[in-house]
Amino acid sequence: MLTLLEIARLLRRAKVTQGPAEVSPELRGWAYDRQPVKPPAYLGLALSDFAYGYCPTGRSLYLKYVLGERPQPTKPLAEGQALHAVLFKALEDFRRYVYSGTPMSPPGEGMPEDLRAKAEALYRYIAVRLTGEYQHVLASRLARSRDAAAFYAAPIAAQIAVDGAPLGLSYVVADGVALGAVVEFKFGPSQNVDVALAGYAMAIEAEYGVPIDYGIHVQISIDGQVEYRATAYHLGDAPRAKFLEARDEAIDVVASARDPGPAPQCPKTCPYYSVCRS
């Protein structure tokens, strides 16, 4: 999934079409000790609870953090979590195949029966794609070592966790990082992806002090066959400012313990839908 050549092309295309990667110094994650990056309060909110903007009024934050309500499992949420686990297993199994020769094997027990076909299709697709690219770069002598060939085929470092406390967040786990860009995979509806990517990038900047100027959103669909669409975003001032605005609004809801009320319209796939509408 996303070889080195693909990621390089995505980033080059973003640089050509979106202009040079310029970011104001005060909006870098490492500027966490001063406004506007410094949070109004340190409440340890989860980035995914607000950055994607799924709840128009932010009432899900009030229900979770003020009233202590637990999210209700929904089918789209469970499916997304299961398919993410399959994707990460495939990436891990690929490296085991490279370094120890262990054959890649799709997930077995534990996978819900109604997701088994999608899970196996996703795993097979990733296995064929990565092993094929690996053998290609070895045979073409494009890579001069097994380690380099593995990097050409699968350059994404998966599930990068950083301490989000400098930004007022809990631990932040990005799906992946590659070539200085943060990567997120989505299997269902998604919105505000550039804003969320900016949040992941700023958390990594705060942790390691290195610039993350681009984000890559990979939308994956599985309907008999696997298809994906990858888009690179320049994480400039605009998405960073929107992320900080969303974070400050989220902190305000929780810190003030005010009920923002339900939105006129909201998706039934929200894990707080039944609680919110009861």
Side-chain angles (χ1 to χ4, degrees):
M1 180 64 68
L2 290 189
T3 64
L4 182 65
L5 183 59
E6 274 188 294
I7 292 175
R9 285 176 174 169
L10 281 167
L11 297 179
R12 184 166 61 243
R13 180 179 179 81
K15 291 173 184 174
V16 170
T17 60
Q18 301 176 30
E22 296 179 353
V23 179
S24 299
E26 64 270 21
L27 292 175
R28 289 292 192 183
W30 56 72
Y32 55 79
D33 58 342
R34 52 192 182 276
Q35 299 293 340
V37 178
K38 184 177 181 179
Y42 296 90
L43 303 181
L45 306 183
L47 185 151
S48 58
D49 282 342
F50 65 88
Y52 290 101
Y54 291 133
C55 183
T57 65
R59 193 165 197 244
S60 60
L61 293 159
Y62 171 78
L63 294 173
K64 177 178 179 179
Y65 292 99
V66 178
L67 298 188
E69 297 285 355
R70 299 178 64 85
Q72 302 299 309
T74 64
K75 185 176 180 180
L77 185 62
E79 180 171 320
Q81 291 173 340
L83 294 177
H84 268 88
V86 171
L87 187 151
F88 294 136
K89 171 176 166 45
L91 292 175
E92 187 173 331
D93 286 356
F94 168 70
R95 291 183 172 81
R96 193 174 294 114
Y97 159 78
V98 169
Y99 294 111
S100 68
T102 304
M104 296 184 68
S105 176
E109 295 182 3
M111 181 60 61
E113 194 59 36
D114 60 337
L115 291 179
R116 186 172 298 278
K118 284 188 175 182
E120 292 181 350
L122 176 64
Y123 189 94
R124 283 196 303 271
Y125 175 82
I126 296 174
V128 169
R129 182 170 174 76
L130 296 190
T131 55
E133 181 73 6
Y134 176 70
Q135 296 299 337
H136 166 70
V137 294
L138 276 182
S140 65
R141 296 186 60 75
L142 185 63
R144 302 305 174 89
S145 69
R146 185 170 55 178
D147 196 48
F151 177 65
Y152 272 88
I156 297 175
Q159 294 184 288
I160 301 298
V162 298
D163 183 5
L167 302 184
L169 307 174
S170 61
Y171 270 82
V172 174
V173 184
D175 282 351
V177 174
L179 296 186
V182 64
V183 182
E184 281 293 294
F185 299 99
K186 288 294 179 187
F187 292 92
S190 55
Q191 59 191 36
N192 292 353
V193 291
D194 58 333
V195 175
L197 286 167
Y200 287 111
M202 294 173 71
I204 294 172
E205 289 177 347
E207 179 86 330
Y208 296 116
V210 296
I212 303 292
D213 291 337
Y214 291 90
I216 299 175
H217 166 229
V218 186
Q219 188 71 44
I220 303 173
S221 63
I222 308 171
D223 185 12
Q225 61 183 8
V226 177
E227 295 183 350
Y228 70 92
R229 180 181 178 85
T231 306
Y233 294 90
H234 171 219
L235 303 177
D237 288 1
R240 289 167 185 262
K242 289 180 181 177
F243 169 77
L244 293 175
E245 181 181 359
R247 179 205 61 180
D248 291 353
E249 289 177 356
I251 289 176
D252 179 62
V253 168
V254 178
S256 66
R258 64 176 175 84
D259 183 356
Q265 292 183 328
C266 50
K268 293 184 178 179
T269 54
C270 173
Y272 292 96
Y273 185 88
S274 59
V275 178
C276 188
R277 299 292 173 172
S278 64

